[in-house]
Structures are given as C-alpha cells and as structure tokens.
Amino acid sequence: MTTAPGHLAVIDMQRVFAEPDSPWATPRFTDAAAGVRRLLPAFGEDVTFTRFLAPAKPEGAWQAYYDVWPFALQPPDAPLWRLTDEFAVRARHLVDAPTFGKWTPELASRVAPSGRLVLAGVSTDCCVLSTALAAADAGAEVLVVADACAGVDDDSHAKALHVMDLYRPLIRVVTVAEAVGETS
C-alpha cells in the first residue's frame, strides 16, 4: 500500500485510558485501537504517538482539575502513563504534554511537510478535540478518523465529532477507509 498523504498523530493510547478499572477508562478503547491498527501501515514513518502526563506541579485551573483527579498526579514514568504494549513497540516518535491538546512545536514540525494532520486516539471529546482545534487554527488541514477514536461515552464521542465537523473545511471527520484512500 502507498503511504497516505499527511501525518498521523495517535493521541494518548495509554494504559490509563485502556484499563477498565481506571477512573479514566475509555469504554471503546479497543475499538479505537482496532482503527489505529488499520491506519498505521498507510503512514509508514509519518506517525507520532502522544501521551498525556500530569505536570510536576499543577498551576492555574489545573490545580482544581487535579483536586478532582488526584490519582493522576504521578511521575511521567508511572505505569498508568505508558502506551499500551501494542503501541509502545510501534512508537518511534513520541510527544508528551501535560495538556489536553498535543499540537506542540514538535508535532507541528512533523506535520509541516504535508500540512495535513490525521488524528486518531482517545478521547474524542477531550484530547483529540483540543488537538484538532489548535492544529486547524495553526493552518493545518485536519482529518479526524471517527472509527479510530473513542470518547468517554458514545454520546460524547458523537457530539465531539459533530462539533469538529462544523469546522469544515479546516477539520473533516472521515473513516479509516477514507483516510487511507481505500476505494470500495
């Protein structure tokens, strides 16, 4: 298969979102993982995995956030922040951020050659959404792969996809098949 145009960012496929007993469990994580698996071959080396990490010391509104979620105040090497085993072995390029949005200078530089960012991962209604909006504002063409994302619940996932699709043509919601250029 030829390489798909653009750069794939796989958002936060971490244990903290995968494990059913985690306070941040994403119920359809395995569905999103299946979509990511289908996307990876089409992007070759043009893939960046991201991880959400807690800051060493929360500041501003993040203090109140971590008052609600104190379990998450763990160092970057804590097991909960690791990518799931399946993706850890595939993560040649990794971007860590203590923010929901992963549109960092490092990710922007990897997207720059094509100008197209393809997003997959979790959660649709938080980190995927935050990344998509920031990237679109910066001028990247953003494709959000609906069947390679998962939200905190099905309703939130659907609402986030709807909101992002309102940003057309800056952001488009697509399927895995559309993202990799498969034809029926």
Side-chain angles (χ1 to χ4, degrees):
M1 178 177 276
T2 60
T3 301
H7 188 82
L8 174 64
V10 180
I11 306 297
D12 303 351
M13 296 299 282
Q14 296 166 264
R15 294 174 62 180
V16 69
F17 304 112
E19 295 175 355
D21 60 344
S22 168
W24 287 351
T26 304
R28 295 202 186 271
F29 186 95
T30 56
D31 295 341
V36 170
R37 277 193 298 280
R38 288 181 53 213
L39 287 169
L40 288 172
F43 288 88
E45 290 295 313
D46 291 325
V47 178
T48 299
F49 284 83
T50 72
R51 293 188 313 158
F52 178 81
L53 301 174
K57 183 177 183 207
E59 296 183 7
W62 286 105
Q63 291 172 326
Y65 181 82
Y66 285 104
D67 285 347
V68 174
W69 303 108
F71 86 96
L73 283 173
Q74 295 188 36
D77 61 351
L80 81 159
W81 299 131
R82 292 184 191 143
L83 293 175
T84 59
D85 293 344
E86 168 183 16
F87 296 122
V89 298
R90 299 177 182 202
R92 290 186 189 94
H93 303 284
L94 185 65
V95 169
D96 292 337
T99 55
F100 295 147
K102 303 307 184 300
W103 184 251
T104 63
E106 183 180 353
L107 181 56
S109 72
R110 291 191 49 81
V111 171
S114 73
R116 174 182 279 179
L117 175 63
V118 179
L119 290 174
V122 298
S123 83
T124 317
D125 44 308
C126 186
C127 296
V128 173
L129 173 68
S130 296
T131 303
L133 294 177
D137 275 349
E141 175 190 9
V142 179
L143 302 181
V144 177
V145 186
D147 51 343
C149 292
V152 296
D153 56 47
D154 290 347
D155 188 50
S156 297
H157 171 74
K159 286 177 179 176
L161 291 173
H162 174 75
V163 166
M164 287 185 278
D165 207 42
L166 293 172
Y167 283 80
R168 279 182 179 261
L170 299 173
I171 300 172
R172 288 184 296 131
V173 176
V174 299
T175 64
V176 169
E178 291 168 325
V180 300
E182 291 176 358
T183 56
S184 4

